[in-house]
Amino acid sequence: MSLLIDFGLCLTLWFVQLIAYPQFAQCAPEKLVAWHARYTHRIAFFVLPLMLGQLGWSAWGLFQEVTLLTSVRLLLILAAWALTFGYFLPLHQKIASGQAQAIDLQRLVAWNWPRTALWTAVFLLSLGRN
């Protein structure tokens, strides 16, 4: 199950990185707030259950057996969560309030690379474990 969840998050982050976030800069500023609201509502429907499932499976795996693999996997997931809630949530709130500038949309794409790498690494660890 964790491999499926990890694959889902990895795939979603690559979609967001290569397609969704770059589109924000292409959206007319007067339409961005409405588009962003639809986007965040729809993507949350997929991402939140995956994130919660991944965190739960990872914590359970570490509880069952403390190994370097289970520890690193959980640390990578926690780093992705820290980026998500520490950096991306405030940035998305800025976009939602209509206060985002072009530089904020560029930062969204630039700073999502580390998050994409983290979730890709988690998937590759799971893939190598199976």
Side-chain angles (χ1 to χ4, degrees):
M1 178 61 88
S2 68
L3 180 62
L4 185 60
I5 292 170
D6 294 344
F7 178 68
L9 272 168
C10 179
L11 188 63
T12 300
L13 260 291
W14 279 99
F15 163 79
V16 167
Q17 181 61 26
L18 298 176
I19 298 170
Y21 281 177
Q23 282 301 116
F24 286 10
Q26 303 302 315
C27 190
E30 64 275 5
K31 295 183 179 186
L32 181 58
V33 172
W35 161 242
H36 182 263
R38 285 190 306 276
Y39 164 79
T40 54
H41 177 75
R42 291 174 181 168
I43 197 80
F45 179 78
F46 295 99
V47 171
L48 288 177
L50 289 171
M51 287 178 67
L52 290 170
Q54 185 182 56
L55 183 63
W57 276 100
S58 184
W60 179 252
L62 187 64
F63 176 76
Q64 292 295 310
E65 182 180 18
V66 178
T67 65
L68 181 61
L69 179 68
T70 58
S71 300
V72 167
R73 185 174 184 277
L74 183 57
L75 287 174
L76 291 172
I77 292 167
L78 291 174
W81 274 62
L83 269 174
T84 298
F85 293 102
Y87 185 78
F88 286 92
L89 183 62
L91 193 50
H92 277 285
Q93 289 170 337
K94 191 173 183 181
I95 296 167
S97 70
Q99 298 176 3
Q101 302 297 315
I103 189 70
D104 297 313
L105 302 178
Q106 292 169 359
R107 287 182 182 136
L108 195 66
V109 174
W111 277 91
N112 197 50
W113 278 116
R115 192 168 63 154
T116 302
L118 286 168
W119 263 309
T120 300
V122 169
F123 169 65
L124 292 174
L125 283 174
S126 291
L127 190 60
R129 184 181 65 197
N130 288 323

